[in-house]
């Protein structure tokens, strides 16, 4: 997939930075420092009203399919193995957020639009591709929506202190 994505980005005149840290060892994993102006994104394949779609969101966020369905006024469910094209199935890891490459629409969570660049890991945990957001948006023409949540509040670990009594 690496060559396919690199060729696509070159042909689309999209500037990008590719970093790879392959290792024969499983641990420790090499980590790429994400630039302060960029955000690490993840993708998820869903069916939006029977149309396979790539969701792109901040990697630490959680996707809320109900919120997306309400905003789009359409049914949204996770894609099944049968929904995914062979071009995506044969590769390990999530697909890149490059829907035009696969003939799929892309929906981007609005939080990503505030960053200068996005970084994805379409080839596995040791490979990183950085793409300027404006160039990505020009090429992919994603729909922008609010469907990701920044996590949950941690469970309270201690017992709540009793309110002081007047005495």
């Amino acid at each position: 997939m690496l060559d396919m994505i690199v060729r696509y980005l070159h042909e689309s005149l999209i500037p990008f930075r590719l970093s790879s840290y392959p290792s024969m060892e499983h641990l420790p994993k090499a980590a790429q420092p994400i630039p302060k102006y960029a955000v690490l994104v993840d993708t998820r394949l869903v069916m939006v009203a029977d149309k396979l779609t790539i969701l792109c969101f901040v990697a630490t966020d959680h996707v809320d399919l109900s919120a997306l369905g309400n905003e789009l006024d359409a049914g949204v469910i996770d894609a099944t193995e049968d929904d995914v094209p062979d071009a995506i199935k044969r590769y390990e890891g999530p697909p890149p957020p490059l829907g035009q490459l696969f003939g799929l629409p892309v929906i981007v969570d609005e939080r990503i639009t505030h960053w200068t660049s996005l970084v994805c890991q379409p080839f596995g945990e040791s490979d990183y591709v950085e793409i300027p957001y404006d160039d990505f948006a020009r090429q992919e023409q994603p729909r922008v929506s609010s469907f990701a949540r920044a996590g949950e509040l941690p469970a309270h670990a201690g017992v709540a202190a009793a309110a002081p009594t007047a005495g």
Side-chain angles (χ1 to χ4, degrees):
M1 179 178 278
L2 177 59
D3 59 334
M4 182 171 66
I5 291 173
V6 169
R7 188 176 327 109
Y8 171 75
L9 293 172
H10 277 290
E11 290 172 358
S12 302
L13 302 175
I14 297 175
F16 67 95
R17 179 175 309 157
L18 173 63
S19 302
S20 183
Y21 301 92
S23 174
M24 298 300 288
E25 300 294 326
H26 293 289
L27 294 174
K29 295 184 186 218
Q32 164 74 18
I34 305 299
K36 291 181 182 185
Y37 55 84
V39 64
L40 182 64
V41 300
D42 200 355
T43 60
R44 183 167 166 183
L45 293 170
V46 297
M47 298 296 292
V48 176
D50 298 327
K51 174 75 174 159
L52 186 62
T53 304
I54 298 175
L55 299 183
C56 181
F57 52 95
V58 175
T60 56
D61 286 358
H62 301 280
V63 173
D64 184 344
L65 294 181
S66 297
L68 181 59
N70 287 337
E71 189 168 328
L72 300 177
D73 196 27
V76 180
I77 59 172
D78 281 312
T80 65
E81 190 73 24
D82 293 336
D83 299 324
V84 180
D86 290 336
I88 295 175
K89 276 185 197 177
R90 66 179 148 216
Y91 298 104
E92 185 180 319
L98 305 172
Q100 296 287 331
L101 178 63
F102 303 108
L104 301 174
V106 176
I107 301 176
V108 171
D109 185 67
E110 68 178 346
R111 290 185 34 176
I112 292 175
T113 64
H114 303 291
W115 292 90
T116 303
S117 292
L118 57 89
V119 176
C120 61
Q121 294 178 286
F123 320 116
E125 295 179 340
S126 65
D127 299 308
Y128 298 82
V129 176
E130 179 185 341
I131 304 169
Y133 180 79
D134 289 343
D135 292 302
F136 164 79
R138 174 186 48 80
Q139 176 64 26
E140 297 301 322
Q141 299 178 3
R143 179 172 184 156
V144 177
S145 182
S146 177
F147 62 84
R149 305 294 173 251
E152 300 175 10
L153 293 174
H156 185 60
V159 178
T165 58

